[in-house]
Amino acid sequence: MKKTLYYLMFLAAISSQIYAQDNYQEESLLDLYQSYTELPRELSYVHLNKSTYIKGELLGFQAYVMDKTSFEPSVETTNLYVTISDASGKPLKKKLFRVQDGISQGNIEIDSLFTSGQYVIKAYTNWMRNFKEQNFFLQNFGVLDPDNPPPMSDQKEEVIDAQFLPEGGHMVAGTKNTIGIALKDEKGFGIPGVEGTLTDENQMMVSSFRTNDLGFAKCYLNHETVKNYQVNLVINGQSKTYPLTDVDPKGIALELKDLKDKIALAFRTNPATEIDHRRGYQLAIHNGSGIKIANVDFPKNTLEVLKVIPYADLEPGMNVITLLTQQNEPILERLFFKYDDNKTIKHTDISYQKKNDSILVTLAYQDIALNDKSSFSISVLPKYTKSYSADHNLVSYAKLQPHVRGYIENAAYYFEDHSPRRKYDMDLLLLNQGWSSYNWQTIFTDPPEFDYDFEKGVAFTANLRGKSGGQLLRYPGQGMATEFINLSTNETSFQRSSLFPIEGEKIRIGEILPDGKVKKPNLVVLFEPSSVPPLNVGIRALNSKSELKPFMDTSKPEELFGKVERLDEVIVTDKKVYTRIEKLRNRSSGKIEVFDDDVRMKYRYFSNYISQRGYIVDEGYFEQVGSETPGLSTAGLFRIVNRIQSTLSRGGAGNISSSLYEDPDDEFPPGTRDQITSGMIPSIYLNDILLADFDILYRFNMDQVDYIEVDRYGLGGGMRGGGGIIKIYTDPSRVLRGSLKFDKTYEEYALPLTFSKPSKYYTPKYNAYDNAFFRDY
């Protein structure tokens, strides 16, 4: 992938010549950077429905996978890996989700594997494993377990992490320096509103500051080499003093000023520093994709050089500004974010309308291209909830996090608007966050390699054992049609790719014999990928800001329910015993009916039963081609459609043609033929085998049926769920008496890794909706 490389001539307050150095060194820096950025990058972001969960709830999400440079949805990847680990790094959940047009949805149950505490969720693609940058998604979330509440914190003394960070990375003696101040608590969150002073050894104040809402500030110091300096803070009425000891006797200091339509870079040094006046320095500005390079020359007897860069010469978004020697050694680095006011679309109005027992919320947007594919995700929680405190949104994670080393508290704040205050706070963040996430040593000596490919579904290789050639039959499954596989006499294997099996699905293959019969084949089947690949990173996420307090104080019910009357305690114990039908219904999204003799007498045939459950059924017969006795040699036909008109694509399933029926005397209810030709065809399973041909259900006797599951809406069925899903299970004892022969003429191969089946998110049921606990969590 070729990158367009630009040379940038800076407009300077003092004139300077164009960057002049030998061609080898110039090509070296550009070529090294081009090699580093040659492979395209993907970026993932996951919008969680909450950041603090009660054990037993569902963690629901929508994930976005996009090109890191263009922010367009990724079309290269369909496989998204989502893992959840505990605070020690032990993996608890590993799942694979399908990405379509850059979007993926899913949910994960916060089940018995969880207890009260902090957990980490990661989301990444196989391609992201090629890079050391944080292109993957990483976020902490909290869990509250009512049976194991979090312990009360016994920490009494407040722990302060005070960092004093010179702009560009170096504080140089004998020069003017900008010093960033970052104050964090023991959890890594900024401490706001702290006032402080910078004083010399004689307690004379040099500068003062006050931290913003995220714990950041800055001050200035005209450093004198003969003096010692210290920072004085007042936190919660207590004074704390920190000496400034990290001062370089030689070097170059940097100061960046935003002048609204341009930025000014001041490079300052002292007489003790040995400046390379002949060769000068390289100034590189990049965004992880393209780079611009210019020179910085220090004329003799000059201790300060000023460069002015117009906004037009900066890329929208993050700009990483680095000063390097001619030997490609980085000296200073500073991040600057250029806001792009034309790329953000916000709603112009919100309206509410009560509709029955619901509230219809309408968000009005302008400047949306209606012909383009668009997607959004929304989480709805009580207004004053404490269970949602995510630091990022899609914009901040795409445009800010990948370029900054370490985690960012409340990153979404910087994109709520583009006011001068937001821009100032953004610059404070980038001043204090230090060097970027791009390691120049990695750029120069260890560029990413093409070790892991883009993935599209699951693939398998089937190898014949002890023979070659022949004909095989692959039975249909979710997203997989019936397939006949013809192998030549010298072929011993075949491959298939871009399969999207869901949880519990298996590959079913039979061998077709010369006489047309099908038997179990002798195959060895290997799958790729066969497991969730590891993502080995040393990056940690910021803890969830929601405080994990004890779940509830059962000794004080008035705190939960308001005014109450305390009654004598009565303890009733019992163990829930689930009936067979309850167990079946608990694992199904459809309606299940278990059959007994009374029900079997009511519905003699399957067609009678299913036509009473929202389906239109048509049973008929046609004369077999070649029959010597017309009207006597016939075969049954079974046709079925859902009365519900679905908007989902059926992926190849079309209308049913009534022209197959040859009996002119066959009678249909009025309008049946028209409805049959326009409805959606359901997916029908017989003992978990997807039927490609429904004619086996012609005059299918209900005497052999154990239970039937009917899901008219096909929830979680994907492309095959458009017409609903019907699952028929027979009673083995009745089948053995001769009612049905359905021999297993294939071998099943369990897939080691399948796609997690997206399911409908069900709102949890709560005992009350007007107490503090519901409001908070």
Side-chain angles (χ1 to χ4, degrees), residues 547-660:
E547 185 178 359
L548 298 180
K549 295 182 178 180
F551 191 80
M552 63 181 66
D553 186 354
T554 55
S555 66
K556 299 179 179 179
E558 61 274 9
E559 293 185 2
L560 297 176
F561 305 106
K563 187 176 180 181
V564 297
E565 179 183 355
R566 186 180 297 272
L567 302 176
D568 292 337
E569 182 177 357
V570 177
I571 299 176
V572 179
T573 60
D574 194 8
K575 185 176 181 180
K576 171 69 174 178
V577 178
Y578 288 95
T579 64
R580 178 169 182 257
I581 191 169
E582 284 178 320
K583 292 179 180 179
L584 292 172
R585 287 173 176 169
N586 286 339
R587 70 186 189 190
S588 168
S589 59
K591 295 183 178 180
I592 289 181
E593 184 167 1
V594 178
F595 286 77
D596 55 24
D597 289 338
D598 292 336
V599 178
R600 294 187 182 100
M601 291 180 62
K602 182 179 179 181
Y603 303 105
R604 181 178 179 185
Y605 298 118
F606 172 71
S607 57
N608 304 134
Y609 172 82
I610 202 64
S611 62
Q612 300 298 315
R613 275 135 186 92
Y615 288 89
I616 302 172
V617 179
D618 187 4
E619 285 189 302
Y621 61 90
F622 67 94
E623 296 180 5
Q624 291 183 334
V625 178
S627 173
E628 297 180 359
T629 308
L632 294 180
S633 182
T634 62
L637 289 174
F638 184 93
R639 297 294 180 264
I640 181 173
V641 295
N642 196 337
R643 286 195 179 101
I644 296 176
Q645 294 296 312
S646 173
T647 60
L648 296 176
S649 169
R650 285 284 297 148
N655 296 335
I656 302 174
S657 174
S658 60
S659 61
L660 293 173

Side-chain angles (χ1 to χ4, degrees), residues 157-176:
E157 184 177 352
E158 187 175 14
V159 178
I160 305 298
D161 177 16
Q163 301 178 33
F164 308 103
L165 307 161
E167 186 167 11
H170 295 280
M171 182 164 54
V172 180
T175 65
K176 179 184 178 183

Side-chain angles (χ1 to χ4, degrees), residues 212-232:
N212 67 2
D213 290 342
L214 296 165
F216 295 126
K218 70 177 179 179
C219 64
Y220 298 97
L221 170 63
N222 284 308
H223 188 277
E224 298 181 33
T225 56
V226 296
K227 292 184 178 181
N228 296 317
Y229 298 90
Q230 62 186 21
V231 177
N232 311 285

Side-chain angles (χ1 to χ4, degrees), residues 236-299:
N236 295 331
Q238 296 184 347
S239 298
K240 296 181 181 293
T241 300
Y242 303 87
L244 280 182
T245 58
D246 192 12
V247 181
D248 298 330
K250 300 178 182 180
I252 301 175
L254 169 67
E255 180 183 2
L256 182 150
K257 280 191 175 295
D258 184 2
L259 304 177
K260 295 186 178 180
D261 60 347
K262 52 185 172 289
I263 61 172
L265 299 173
F267 300 95
R268 303 186 181 101
T269 187
N270 59 23
T273 303
E274 299 175 359
I275 295 294
D276 190 345
H277 297 291
R278 184 180 66 86
R279 297 171 63 87
Y281 300 87
Q282 303 176 88
L283 182 63
I285 302 179
H286 76 93
N287 62 355
S289 176
I291 189 171
K292 303 175 183 181
I293 302 174
N295 69 311
V296 174
D297 294 325
F298 274 83

Side-chain angles (χ1 to χ4, degrees), residues 106-120:
N107 43 55
I108 299 173
E109 185 179 359
I110 306 301
D111 54 20
S112 60
L113 296 176
F114 296 83
T115 188
S116 294
Q118 293 282 340
Y119 297 86
V120 179

